[in-house]
Amino acid sequence: MPLFSPRLTVAQVEEGHALAPKFDAAGLIPVVTTDAATGEVLMMGVMNAEALTRSIATGEAHYWSRSRQCLWHKGVTSGLIQKIVEMRIDDDQDAIWLRVQVAGGASCHVGYRSCFYRAVPLGGVGAPRLVFTESEKLFDPVQVYGDAPNPTQL
């Protein structure tokens, strides 16, 4: 039996019990990942059908890395595995919300707990100056990743 159902009617998608995710033209679906205990947003990523299938099967977060162009088992290199406590899908099944527990407590490859470690001030004049919301890194990326290429693309 296939894991994903075809999208047949609005009622089926919005009110039914069948998982019928809507992937975009690139075959991706956005995923917001939060800490299961605190609700803090840890990261935003994307999944393709394989990443979603593996996440459901293993109970650990898998994503599609747009920068690396490959399947990404979050934390497999760093040991900061995201154990899925709950997976939800939105009303029209085009976005996923993962509530996770993170081994080691951090989700950001830069070393911070959350990938959202800076705030953008509102209402100012001119270019905003980002404000750090986390003051300490939970790990040293150089020690964890060594000479592995940084996934951030310019």
Side-chain angles (χ1 to χ4, degrees), residues 87-110:
M87 178 185 290
R88 293 191 186 186
I89 194 155
D90 75 333
D91 55 353
D92 58 351
Q93 297 198 40
D94 68 352
I96 305 253
W97 172 21
L98 295 182
R99 294 179 56 241
V100 302
Q101 293 173 332
V102 183
S107 286
C108 182
H109 76 275
V110 178

Side-chain angles (χ1 to χ4, degrees), residues 43-54:
M43 61 176 281
M44 190 280 174
V46 295
M47 290 181 177
N48 62 6
E50 182 180 4
L52 181 54
T53 299
R54 287 193 186 192

Side-chain angles (χ1 to χ4, degrees), residues 61-107:
H62 291 71
Y63 301 92
W64 175 258
S65 173
R66 291 177 287 189
S67 57
R68 299 178 194 103
Q69 290 293 295
C70 65
L71 190 68
W72 167 38
H73 182 181
K74 178 68 174 145
V76 77
T77 302
S78 64
L80 305 171
I81 300 287
Q82 292 180 343
K83 176 72 175 154
I84 301 170
V85 173
E86 183 179 42
M87 178 185 290
R88 293 191 186 186
I89 194 155
D90 75 333
D91 55 353
D92 58 351
Q93 297 198 40
D94 68 352
I96 305 253
W97 172 21
L98 295 182
R99 294 179 56 241
V100 302
Q101 293 173 332
V102 183
S107 286

